[in-house]
Amino acid sequence: MMLDEARRQYLSDILRPVAPPREIDKPFTEEQKRRMLDVVHDKGAWKLILAQHFASPEELLATFAGGFPEGFTPTLDMFMTPTFRGFFANYSAVLYPELHDVFYNEAFLNHAKSYWNAEYAKPQMMLFNVNGPCGNTDPGHLDTPSFRGVRYENSPTWLCSVMGRSGLFQDYLIKMAQVITWFSHDPASGFTYWPDGPLAKPARVKSPIYNRGVVVQNEMLVHRGEANGPVDRRSPAGLAFDTIFTGDKDDRDGWVLKNGDQVIERYHTDDLRFLVHWNAEVFTDFAELKKNMEGTDDLTHDQAIDMLIKDVRSRGIQIETPTDPLHDPVFIRAINAAYNFGGPAEYPPETQVDRPMAA
């Protein structure tokens, strides 16, 4: 389904963060970074991001936009890159006591409140992405937003993403701010984002991005990390959906990719692109904090699905009501198409997009 230009522009205009990203230098000390890396090294193994969050290509494609030729069927392995994920904290609780000061971080909380001009904030989650040399098939995506009652913890990633892109649920959107920090020695790799919507001009956090960070609202900011490392090492032979990333037990700065007991690739810490994503929920005032915590104005999944279906049908688009809307690939594909702005209009000329066979 091709959307007209006015509709595409409308959807693009929705995707603007409350403020442009704010760059910060040296968010962490070297000692804090080492503690975080030691947790990654010793507490794994860690699975691919794709393996953790998506059950079908339709669910993945609903987190970013851009179509494929008619009759072409995308598969998850087309988007597979050796990027792995784990959590340092979740549900507002730190999962590793040695990272207590890293998660309950007063400076980060002050950044979050200042970014939103808000009175209150609480740390919600902290994850990491880690990879060695790696390509990037991501044309640009949104992080998973949360809404009162329909949150990333209790909902499919695709649903929250489409809800954010639709613009229908702004009154339920939970204000969030992230501090995103990179540790990478790659001389060219950076971070691309579209602060005025994906059909407007892009911007970049340019290399070097070692211990560089941004304060952002990534749920409403189309963005993408960039490829890194030597091109001939970006696609390890044997990479599969059950490949794991873990530390070499004999070397504190050694890392391995494994399929079962078979090692398919080795890295040194200096080869890594290590991303740390700290996330806080933010509340303008006490009334908003109370409403969010007490659940007095929450959505249900059924309400969210019903609102999406009614909106799509109101524009003359036929869509069936599925028996399993959270997992039905035909329904997910149809809903995604209705809010598909077509992908970013342009990329910075100095970056590359290893996008698989996109239209």
Side-chain angles (χ1 to χ4, degrees), residues 128-150:
F128 65 86
N129 295 344
V130 64
N131 56 260
C134 184
N136 192 343
T137 57
D138 173 16
H141 70 278
L142 300 167
D143 285 1
T144 308
S146 283
F147 306 84
R148 292 192 304 277
V150 179

Side-chain angles (χ1 to χ4, degrees), residues 227-242:
N228 66 284
V231 173
D232 61 356
R233 296 190 66 195
R234 290 180 181 177
S235 299
L239 183 70
F241 276 96
D242 58 356

Side-chain angles (χ1 to χ4, degrees), residues 99-133:
L99 301 182
H100 186 279
D101 62 308
V102 174
F103 181 55
Y104 300 112
N105 189 315
E106 183 178 6
F108 286 12
L109 286 166
N110 288 335
H111 283 309
K113 288 185 287 186
S114 173
Y115 182 74
W116 278 95
N117 191 26
E119 284 191 66
Y120 302 103
K122 69 181 183 72
Q124 176 63 21
M125 175 270 288
M126 189 174 191
L127 61 77
F128 65 86
N129 295 344
V130 64
N131 56 260

Side-chain angles (χ1 to χ4, degrees), residues 26 34 51 62 74 112 149 177 203 261:
K26 295 183 176 60
R34 185 72 254 185
D261 293 330

Side-chain angles (χ1 to χ4, degrees), residues 17 21 25 41 68 158 272 282:
D25 191 40
H41 189 278
F68 285 81
W158 77 262
L272 302 182
V282 182

